[in-house]
Amino acid sequence: MRIEFTKMHGLGNDFIVLDARERALPPIDSAAASALADRHTGIGCDQLILLEPSSEGDFRMRIFNADGSEVEACGNATRAVGLLHGQPARIETLGGLLHASPSDSGISVEMGKPRFDWDRIPLAYAMDTHSMPVGWDELTDPIAVNVGNPHVIFFVADPYAVEMDRLGPLIETDPLFPERINVNVAAVTARDAMTLRVWERGAGLTRACGTGACATAIGAMKRGLVDRRVTVTLPGGPLVIEWREDGEIVMTGPATESFRGSFDPADYGMPAGGTKV
Ligand SMILES: N[C@H](CCC[C@H](N)C(=O)O)C(=O)O
């Protein structure tokens, strides 16, 4: 039995979405996720997204990075599944219950409240996360924010002058970050505008990172560099991030369905099967 999928993206950050809400699928493990995500031997994506029934929300969203690691949050994918659902959705994730609402200006998602304490990022030892006394070459004095998943943010003059292919993996896997880290390099261009590039934990340099945009906007607001509503422009395009007075982060931006297809689970080391739930 072939497995159907929907290929989607948020500003070029792309996903394979598998829907097990009505029909059970063979178990997806990190090996199958990374095989499907492989752009040379698989279908190719930054993250594999698995939708399942949920007792807490309208459905559950599981997120696997291209390296197979299962993680807590994915902003762009949350908008994508919000588009797929077609109406307001309460989405259960490892990082908490998120609310996605389709609107005429794209999909808005309440991404939860940021966390700043060193052991909530997490870091390997106590440190002032607002201005961290660490650096990697020209990337110094970062701020760390957890928005369901962990991010470190460096403010630079030109994000496109940073050697992300070298510094990204170096920082991502530094022992300071016991769960690894998403690496953000950003420039503030106005009180309501920033540019951003992200080396993603478990996925590398992506065209966009929703949680990276959220974490970076919050970091800039914490440092007084921007107002509480800011447009963050990534290589794939802009996202609008607002830090509401109640502490909730609200991200608004586009989501796109690219195409639908199917694959043979045997081609990805998955057991056959899958029955009606
Ligand atoms: N690489 C991230 C997950 C995907 C985040 C990104 N695709 C987004 O849109 O938020 C992590 O390991 O935490």
Side-chain angles (χ1 to χ4, degrees):
M1 183 205 73
R2 295 181 68 82
I3 294 177
E4 295 177 351
F5 68 88
T6 305
K7 189 73 182 356
M8 305 190 79
H9 73 88
L11 299 178
N13 178 204
D14 65 345
F15 315 106
I16 293 169
V17 182
L18 304 181
D19 194 342
R21 292 178 292 180
E22 266 91 45
R23 181 184 190 89
L25 292 175
I28 303 273
D29 59 11
S30 63
S34 56
L36 283 161
D38 191 305
R39 296 192 191 277
H40 303 291
T41 58
I43 298 169
C45 64
D46 293 325
Q47 280 86 23
L48 177 81
I49 304 299
L50 174 61
L51 305 184
E52 297 179 328
S54 166
S55 56
E56 288 180 40
D58 296 308
F59 55 88
R60 180 183 181 207
M61 174 172 76
R62 295 177 65 191
I63 303 152
F64 297 85
N65 281 316
D67 71 353
S69 56
E70 183 168 4
V71 292
E72 315 88 339
C74 181
N76 287 320
T78 308
R79 296 198 318 279
V81 302
L83 176 76
L84 211 55
H85 193 64
Q87 56 186 317
R90 295 169 307 127
I91 306 169
E92 178 194 349
T93 69
L94 286 177
L97 191 67
L98 306 182
H99 293 77
S101 309
S103 73
D104 50 12
S105 58
I107 315 283
S108 281
V109 181
E110 294 181 359
M111 292 293 292
K113 297 180 178 175
R115 292 177 287 274
F116 305 102
D117 295 339
W118 70 272
D119 54 350
R120 303 295 302 276
I121 300 302
L123 304 182
Y125 41 83
M127 186 183 296
D128 171 11
T129 58
H130 183 84
S131 177
M132 300 165 67
V134 296
W136 292 264
D137 291 3
E138 77 272 23
L139 298 184
T140 59
D141 184 34
I143 181 168
V145 184
N146 185 294
V147 290
N149 59 354
H151 290 264
V152 66
I153 300 107
F154 300 88
F155 294 103
V156 299
D158 177 5
Y160 290 84
V162 177
E163 279 184 271
M164 292 295 265
D165 289 337
R166 178 174 66 84
L167 292 170
L170 202 61
I171 299 166
E172 173 196 355
T173 58
D174 192 285
L176 174 59
F177 307 111
E179 293 178 11
R180 297 188 291 163
I181 197 94
N182 293 285
V183 184
N184 301 265
V185 292
V188 175
T189 53
R191 290 291 304 176
D192 63 353
M194 304 177 71
T195 57
L196 171 63
R197 287 174 80 206
V198 189
W199 175 273
E200 285 198 33
R201 173 182 64 170
L205 202 58
T206 58
R207 298 274 303 147
C209 179
T211 49
C214 293
T216 298
I218 295 298
M221 292 168 191
K222 285 279 281 182
R223 289 200 174 171
L225 303 174
V226 297
D227 298 331
R228 291 182 74 100
R229 179 184 174 85
V230 63
T231 297
V232 180
T233 300
L234 297 117
L239 290 172
V240 176
I241 311 297
E242 180 186 3
W243 194 8
R244 253 184 4 209
E245 292 305 323
D246 63 358
E248 192 79 22
I249 306 167
V250 183
M251 167 191 61
T252 303
T256 307
E257 176 176 327
S258 303
F259 61 87
R260 297 191 176 208
S262 68
F263 62 87
D264 180 345
D267 292 346
Y268 296 96
M270 294 166 63
T275 54
K276 265 245 181 263
V277 290

